[in-house]
Amino acid sequence: MKRGVFISIEGPDGSGKSTQIKNIRQFFKDKGIDIIFTREPGGTPIGERIRSIILDRDCAEMDDMTEAMLYAAARAQHVAQVIRPALLAGKIVICDRFVDSSIAYQGYGRGLGEAVSGCLPDVTFLMKMDPRVGRRRINVQQQDRLEREKDDFHVRTYEGYLELEKKYPGRIVGIDAARSIEEIKIDIYKKLE
Ligand code: TMP
């Protein structure tokens, strides 16, 4: 069905994902290859509005199922409006988080079980780092609603990611995120080549 390439990048909050996303974008820029870069939750005007509700610290009373459905709603819009059309047009799509985040954070972290979707990435970079270490890198004043969750939530979430890595060894590429930015970049570039 699809002709393009779909790459996602995943990992705990504070694992250095954003830095490596910059590198991935640079990799394609250096080669003169156009990509579509997008993120979850978000990536569409509707999705970005949903994002601001989900991450708002004032929404502390949000029910776990509401949270899961908001992520799923933002994703449905994103796949329909951006990702699927781009893949059908043969483009390379790079996505900052995708359905593995819902499986890890809502499925394992919140204990809601596994989410499903018919549209999976071809390659997913998983930034592997103890989530307690990652979170300590994020300024407490700047933590969003999810980042403010307790350590045991983030540990369950991370265990979810490790289970996914075992379950999808062909798709999920584990990256040791505790190393230097440069070492991580070299690993990612090798795979992108
Ligand atoms: P970000 O900080 O990487 O932009 O992601 C926003 C937060 O949303 C992050 O804490 C992970 C969380 N998240 C989920 O819990 N479920 C999801 O499906 C997605 C895409 C993100």
Side-chain angles (χ1 to χ4, degrees):
M1 176 200 73
K2 66 182 188 185
R3 284 181 280 125
V5 182
F6 187 9
I7 298 170
S8 63
I9 178 154
E10 294 279 355
D13 298 293
S15 61
K17 200 165 49 72
S18 305
T19 305
Q20 295 306 327
I21 284 169
K22 274 193 210 125
N23 286 332
I24 292 172
R25 296 180 77 168
Q26 190 63 43
F27 174 92
F28 288 104
K29 199 171 172 199
D30 290 347
K31 291 186 183 295
I33 299 172
D34 278 341
I35 58 138
I36 306 272
F37 173 73
T38 187
R39 70 167 179 180
E40 291 215 343
T44 65
I46 292 171
E48 291 294 331
R49 285 164 77 173
I50 295 174
R51 179 187 176 93
S52 64
I53 297 171
I54 301 177
L55 298 182
D56 189 345
R57 286 157 57 157
D58 291 339
C59 293
E61 75 278 24
M62 189 180 294
D63 178 74
D64 290 352
M65 193 56 85
T66 307
E67 175 188 289
M69 287 178 168
L70 286 175
Y71 279 114
R75 179 165 309 119
Q77 189 64 31
H78 196 200
V79 168
Q81 193 178 345
V82 176
I83 298 176
R84 204 183 294 278
L87 292 175
L88 287 174
K91 304 217 167 101
I92 295 176
V93 177
I94 316 273
C95 195
D96 179 353
R97 297 192 180 279
F98 193 61
V99 72
D100 297 303
S101 277
S102 280
I103 300 172
Y105 281 77
Q106 281 69 52
Y108 286 79
R110 301 289 191 212
L112 293 181
E114 202 168 305
V116 285
S117 168
C119 179
L120 278 179
D122 300 294
V123 179
T124 296
F125 292 107
L126 172 60
M127 303 291 282
K128 292 173 74 173
M129 168 175 287
D130 183 330
R132 290 162 291 210
V133 175
R135 237 151 43 92
R136 260 183 262 131
R137 293 167 157 191
I138 306 168
N139 183 322
V140 179
Q141 300 308 318
Q142 286 168 356
Q143 286 179 352
D144 62 37
R145 193 179 61 85
L146 269 283
E147 286 162 352
R148 283 161 68 99
E149 284 292 342
K150 297 196 175 66
D151 272 350
D152 60 344
F153 166 75
H154 286 285
V155 168
R156 278 199 306 279
T157 298
Y158 188 57
E159 283 165 2
Y161 271 131
L162 300 181
E163 286 295 321
L164 288 170
E165 187 189 22
K166 268 193 240 150
K167 193 164 163 188
Y168 301 107
R171 172 171 69 87
I172 299 186
V173 181
I175 301 287
D176 173 3
R179 295 168 303 158
S180 73
I181 291 173
E182 203 50 35
E183 281 171 305
I184 298 171
K185 174 177 150 181
I186 290 167
D187 255 20
I188 292 179
Y189 276 26
K190 267 192 211 144
K191 182 69 189 176
L192 289 174
E193 282 290 350

